[in-house]
């Protein structure tokens, strides 16, 4: 029944996409049969082990009733399983803790745009057969109408919004520098936009200026580059020195109108994923008759974005009622896409980690309770010989914490080696984050101490007379 409930819970993890995805996840009879067989075999095997141990008793100690004294050292199998449970729980909890911290860090990251008070909507003019002049006319009319929508402070069009899970790289040829060919050619991520788009996106301009309508009308090619591109292609110079420099795309004819002039430098951001290293990126001005797949981004004055979204959608429909509009959302909702893998990983790893923690606590409690019941006579003798309740408490708890310490050591070694493989989900958090490792270890130790406490309290109350008479 729990499996059926979990299927429903997992189905709620739908990617935040406009395209509906139909995912059918059911309890397959073959999987059910397989897991049932494994469960039965597990019960049989682990039931046979103690039975096999009972077939080979040590007769002399058994007749002298000495089997329980020092019996803890013989429970290596039980102890080994507890150690494995502790180690597995530690690894899962550390992974979950790192992913959760990475998710929190990602939500505080500055991705080079301001998600608050901004909306977007997309459309594809090629679906309706728009040609060059019609594309130009539609873009101009839409921008003019969008600027008049109440609450809109800035608006722009682009063929690529950062963190849209796609990428467009172009080889760069810098004027005055030796051009490299093929795989060795330096590249930058490229997007095309209209004037006002970076303002609508919330990207900060460090140096220079934005595009102008005059440059677009005169077909003059200009670009806004990020600081990382300025540092890479014009090294050993200030970021401001990149202004006025020219470059072209490798496959473009260079003289003379193919040169693209740098007119502004924007802050670095994230463009494909939140975990990427800082990369060169640039916006070129969107040419009048180019660009059929476009996204309109508008910055609002705050408050509820629904009226602005409805008004923008209405303006598009008034220009062309047959044009499909999709991807209508706020930029905050836009960020749900790059954050989706981390959220799923944090939820699943956290759930498995808590389950493993529960199993480890039950295992430690079970082993220590069994050890106390098996050593009742020994504990009675110790108390009769003068052992205090504190000594008995330390004895039982010490044995449990010893198993925990061994499990922690193994788990830490595995975690140190394994967490580096999940660096793509950590978003600026070190895979060997000391705070997470120490916090999870302390949590697991506390749970283990609590699991040992009840058996230890029972051991402290052993009556030596009853214990000695019991056999």
């Amino acid at each position: 029944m729990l499996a059926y409930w979990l299927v429903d819970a997992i189905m709620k993890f739908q990617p935040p996409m406009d395209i509906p995805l139909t995912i059918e996840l059911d309890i397959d009879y073959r999987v059910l049969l397989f897991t049932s067989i494994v469960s039965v075999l597990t019960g049989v095997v682990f039931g046979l082990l103690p039975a096999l141990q009972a077939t080979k008793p040590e007769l002399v100690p058994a007749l002298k009733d000495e089997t329980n004294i020092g019996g803890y050292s013989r429970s290596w199998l039980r102890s080994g399983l507890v150690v494995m449970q502790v180690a597995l729980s530690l690894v899962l909890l550390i992974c979950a803790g790192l992913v959760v911290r990475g998710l929190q860090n990602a939500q505080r990251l500055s991705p080079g745009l301001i998600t608050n008070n901004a909306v977007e909507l997309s459309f594809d003019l090629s679906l309706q057969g728009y040609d060059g002049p019609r594309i130009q006319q539609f873009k101009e009319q839409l921008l003019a109408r969008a600027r008049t929508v109440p609450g809109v402070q800035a608006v722009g069009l682009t063929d690529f919004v950062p963190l849209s899970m796609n990428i467009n790289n172009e080889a760069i040829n810098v004027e005055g520098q030796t051009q490299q060919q093929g795989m060795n050619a330096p590249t930058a991520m490229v997007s095309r936009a209209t004037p006002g788009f970076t303002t609508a996106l919330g990207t900060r301009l460090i140096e220079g200026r934005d595009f102008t309508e005059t440059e677009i009308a005169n077909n003059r090619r200009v670009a806004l580059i990020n600081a990382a591109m300025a540092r890479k292609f014009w090294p050993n110079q200030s970021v401001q020195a990149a202004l006025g420099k020219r470059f072209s795309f490798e496959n473009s004819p260079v003289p003379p109108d193919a040169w693209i002039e740098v007119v502004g430098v924007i802050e670095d951001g994230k463009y494909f994923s939140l975990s990427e290293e800082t990369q060169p990126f640039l916006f070129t001005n969107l040419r009048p008759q180019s660009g059929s797949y476009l996204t309109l981004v508008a910055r609002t004055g705050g408050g509820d974005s629904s009226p602005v979204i409805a008004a923008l959608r209405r303006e598009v429909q008034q220009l062309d009622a047959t044009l499909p509009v999709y991807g209508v959302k706020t930029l905050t909702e836009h960020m749900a896409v790059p954050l989706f893998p981390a959220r799923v990983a944090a939820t699943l790893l956290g759930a498995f980690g808590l389950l493993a923690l529960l199993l480890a606590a039950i295992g430690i409690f079970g082993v220590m309770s069994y050890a106390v019941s098996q050593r009742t006579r020994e504990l009675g003798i110790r108390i009769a010989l003068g052992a205090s309740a504190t000594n008995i408490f330390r004895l039982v708890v010490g044995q449990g914490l010893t198993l925990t310490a061994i499990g922690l050591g193994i788990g830490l070694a595995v975690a140190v080696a394994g967490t580096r493989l999940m660096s793509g989900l950590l978003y600026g958090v070190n895979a060997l984050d000391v705070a997470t490792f120490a916090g999870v270890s302390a949590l697991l130790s506390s749970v283990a101490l609590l699991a040992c406490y009840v058996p230890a309290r029972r051991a402290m109350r052993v009556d030596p007379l009853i214990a000695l008479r019991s056999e």
Side-chain angles (χ1 to χ4, degrees):
M1 291 188 65
L2 181 60
Y4 278 102
W5 293 336
L6 288 175
V7 166
D8 293 335
I10 292 173
M11 289 298 294
K12 294 181 180 178
F13 283 106
Q14 291 287 344
M17 302 172 62
D18 294 304
I19 302 174
L21 297 179
T22 303
I23 302 175
E24 295 185 3
L25 186 62
D26 298 312
I27 303 297
D28 186 83
Y29 75 92
R30 292 162 294 189
V31 176
L32 182 60
L33 178 63
F34 172 79
T35 51
S36 299
I37 293 174
V38 170
S39 300
V40 171
L41 289 177
T42 301
V44 170
V45 170
F46 283 88
L48 284 175
L49 288 176
L52 291 175
Q53 285 182 333
T55 61
K56 300 178 182 180
E58 298 182 24
L59 296 179
V60 176
L63 293 174
K64 291 182 178 181
D65 195 22
E66 297 175 349
T67 54
N68 292 333
I69 300 179
Y72 175 78
S73 61
R74 299 185 57 194
S75 60
W76 60 268
L77 180 59
R78 292 191 299 272
S79 301
L81 293 174
V82 170
V83 168
M84 290 174 58
Q85 285 179 327
V86 172
L88 175 62
S89 178
L90 182 73
V91 172
L92 288 174
L93 285 172
I94 285 178
C95 291
L98 289 173
V99 172
V100 169
R101 289 203 64 192
L103 181 59
Q104 294 173 340
N105 194 44
Q107 293 172 334
R108 294 192 298 265
L109 281 175
S110 174
L113 54 92
I114 300 175
T115 58
N116 296 330
N117 304 326
V119 299
E120 66 172 274
L121 57 86
S122 301
F123 50 88
D124 189 350
L125 296 175
S126 65
L127 295 176
Q128 303 304 109
Y130 278 68
D131 56 13
R134 290 184 65 199
I135 290 176
Q136 178 181 353
Q137 182 183 19
F138 185 91
K139 290 190 300 184
E140 291 175 352
Q141 291 178 345
L142 178 58
L143 287 173
R145 286 171 172 263
R147 293 188 184 106
T148 64
V149 170
V152 171
Q153 298 180 342
V155 66
L157 288 167
T158 184
D159 62 357
F160 169 77
V161 178
L163 298 172
S164 296
M165 305 302 289
N166 56 13
I167 190 171
N168 179 27
N169 275 328
E170 294 280 0
I172 302 298
N173 171 32
V174 176
E175 184 181 27
Q177 297 182 12
T178 303
Q179 182 177 2
Q180 296 178 319
Q181 300 290 336
M183 298 296 293
N184 296 324
T187 62
M189 297 180 66
V190 178
S191 176
R192 295 162 181 83
T194 62
F197 173 74
T198 53
T199 304
L201 193 64
T203 300
R204 185 168 60 92
L205 187 66
I206 300 175
E207 300 287 348
R209 59 172 177 82
D210 196 357
F211 309 134
T212 65
E213 298 289 351
T214 303
E215 289 165 336
I216 295 179
N218 295 333
N219 204 25
R220 180 186 170 200
R221 305 188 68 184
V222 294
L224 301 176
I225 67 173
N226 68 348
M229 181 169 175
R231 291 190 297 267
K232 178 176 180 178
F233 289 94
W234 295 278
N236 304 320
Q237 301 180 54
S238 66
V239 171
Q240 187 178 13
L243 297 177
K245 296 293 198 300
R246 299 200 304 176
F247 66 91
S248 70
F249 300 126
E250 184 182 31
N251 295 328
S252 301
V254 176
D257 59 344
W259 289 115
I260 304 170
E261 181 182 350
V262 177
V263 297
V265 180
I266 58 175
E267 63 179 328
D268 292 330
K270 304 292 184 180
Y271 307 104
F272 180 70
S273 73
L274 292 173
S275 60
E276 70 187 13
E277 298 294 332
T278 303
Q279 298 186 43
F281 181 86
L282 67 96
F283 286 108
T284 63
N285 47 352
L286 188 63
R287 293 188 170 185
Q289 299 185 8
S290 64
S292 59
Y293 168 76
L294 296 169
T295 298
L296 177 77
V297 176
R299 180 147 303 275
T300 68
D304 186 12
S305 300
S306 301
V308 176
I309 290 177
L312 292 174
R313 185 193 288 268
R314 190 162 52 248
E315 296 296 341
V316 175
Q317 291 175 342
Q318 288 179 356
L319 288 174
D320 188 342
T322 65
L323 181 65
V325 177
Y326 55 94
V328 182
K329 56 194 170 187
T330 65
L331 284 191
T332 301
E333 293 170 334
H334 176 84
M335 291 296 294
V337 175
L339 289 173
F340 179 73
R343 284 180 174 149
V344 173
T347 303
L348 294 181
L349 285 173
F352 287 133
L354 291 176
L355 177 61
L357 179 64
L358 176 63
L359 292 177
I362 293 173
I364 295 172
F365 174 80
V367 166
M368 298 315 303
S369 295
Y370 183 74
V372 169
S373 66
Q374 291 293 95
R375 301 177 67 186
T376 301
R377 186 166 180 268
E378 175 196 347
L379 295 174
I381 293 174
R382 288 178 180 273
I383 294 173
L385 294 176
S388 65
T390 302
N391 296 137
I392 299 299
F393 183 84
R394 289 177 178 173
L395 175 67
V396 176
V397 171
Q399 291 173 349
L401 292 185
T402 298
L403 297 179
T404 303
I406 296 173
L408 289 177
I410 296 174
L412 286 172
V414 174
V416 167
T419 52
R420 298 176 184 179
L421 301 177
M422 47 188 299
S423 57
L425 296 172
L426 299 187
Y427 305 122
V429 177
N430 194 323
L432 302 178
D433 183 65
V434 176
T436 303
F437 275 68
V440 171
S441 299
L443 171 64
L444 196 51
S445 300
S446 301
V447 172
L449 180 61
L450 185 62
C452 296
Y453 177 78
V454 176
R457 289 283 295 177
R458 189 167 73 246
M460 291 167 59
R461 293 194 293 266
V462 170
D463 188 332
L465 292 178
I466 298 176
L468 294 175
R469 288 174 182 170
S470 62
E471 300 297 337

